[in-house]
Amino acid sequence: MSQPIRVLLVDDQPMIRTGFRLILEAEQDIVVVGESADGAQGVDDTRALQPDIVLMDIRMPRLDGVEATRLIAASGSASRIIILTTFDLDAHVVDALRAGASGFLVKDGPAESLVDAIRTVAAGEAVLSPRITQRLLDRFSRLAPAEPVRVPPSLDALTARQLDVLRALARGLSNAEIARELHVGETTVKTHIGHIFEKYGLRDRVQAVILAYDTGLASPTADR
C-alpha cells in the first residue's frame, strides 16, 4: 500500500480547518499532518513537516497566502500548494498562481472536489477551474501587445512541436485534446510536456500557461 498524502491546513479560521480535517481524515489515502493559523506559521510548518500538499487560504493576517506561497516555492520545497479562496474571482488568485501555487479551490465547493484536488495535485497535475482560467486569460489580454506574436528568444530551447504543445496548454486543452489536434499519441504529448517542464523548471501546467503568456507566445485575444 502506498504512503498516504500528507496535508497541511493553513487558514486563520479554526472552524474552517476543523471542517477540512473532518473531510480529509475520512479518506484512507490522506492524512492531515498539521494546522497553521496564518501564512507565517504556514511557511514555518511547511519547512518543519514537509507535507505533500499545503491547503493555503489566500487572505490571512500577518502573512497572506500569496506571499506565503512565494516563500515556500522560493525555498525549493517539494510541497505543492492549493490556494483556498471564498470568491472564485478573487483578484489575488492569479498572483498566487504566479507565486507557485498548483491550483485553487473555492471554499464553498463540494467536499469531493477538495479530496479530488488533493489527489490530482499530489499526482503532479494542477487544479484550475474554468472561470479562473478565463480570469488568467483576461488579465494577460489586457497586458498583451497589439503586434503579432513571435516566438520569443526566451523559448528558443523548445522545438517547433514543443511550442505547439505549449500553445495548446495555454488554451487549456487536455492531453487527449492536444493529441487529437496535433495528430499524435497521448504518450507523445506527455513526453513533450515533460521536456517543456524540464527545460524551464516548471512544476505543472499552471506554470506552463503562465510561461506562455508571460513570454507572449500565446495571445488571449487570438485564442478566443
Side-chain angles (χ1 to χ4, degrees), residues 11-164:
D11 196 298
D12 61 317
Q13 299 180 58
M15 290 182 66
I16 294 292
R17 297 198 306 270
T18 298
F20 285 152
R21 178 183 283 274
L22 289 173
I23 292 170
L24 299 180
E25 289 187 340
E27 304 298 323
Q28 293 186 345
D29 60 336
I30 298 174
V31 59
V32 177
V33 296
E35 297 182 20
S36 309
D38 57 52
Q41 185 182 348
V43 173
D44 292 340
D45 289 344
T46 299
R47 185 184 303 112
L49 299 171
Q50 291 298 304
D52 300 307
I53 302 294
V54 179
L55 287 181
M56 178 81 71
D57 185 24
I58 202 166
R59 296 175 180 271
M60 293 180 290
R62 284 221 297 165
L63 193 70
D64 64 26
V66 175
E67 187 58 30
T69 296
R70 185 174 291 112
L71 291 174
I72 291 171
S75 73
S77 171
S79 301
R80 296 167 66 81
I81 300 167
I82 299 174
I83 291 294
L84 300 168
T85 179
T86 304
F87 307 103
D88 64 352
L89 294 182
D90 193 314
H92 298 292
V93 169
V94 174
D95 294 329
L97 295 174
R98 277 181 170 278
S102 293
F104 107 109
L105 285 174
V106 179
K107 286 183 177 180
D108 61 0
E112 57 266 25
S113 67
L114 173 64
V115 175
D116 289 344
I118 288 173
R119 290 174 179 150
T120 298
V121 172
E125 295 294 332
V127 174
L128 207 58
S129 81
R131 275 190 286 184
I132 202 61
T133 301
Q134 189 63 56
R135 184 180 182 86
L136 186 67
L137 296 181
D138 287 343
R139 175 162 176 170
F140 280 108
S141 179
R142 291 194 298 271
L143 300 175
E147 60 269 15
V149 175
R150 298 179 177 86
V151 176
S154 56
L155 293 180
D156 58 10
L158 299 182
T159 66
R161 184 43 60 101
Q162 288 166 357
L163 288 168
D164 290 339

Side-chain angles (χ1 to χ4, degrees), residues 186-197:
E186 282 191 59
T187 300
T188 300
V189 173
K190 290 179 182 178
T191 299
H192 284 314
I193 292 174
H195 288 159
I196 294 169
F197 287 4

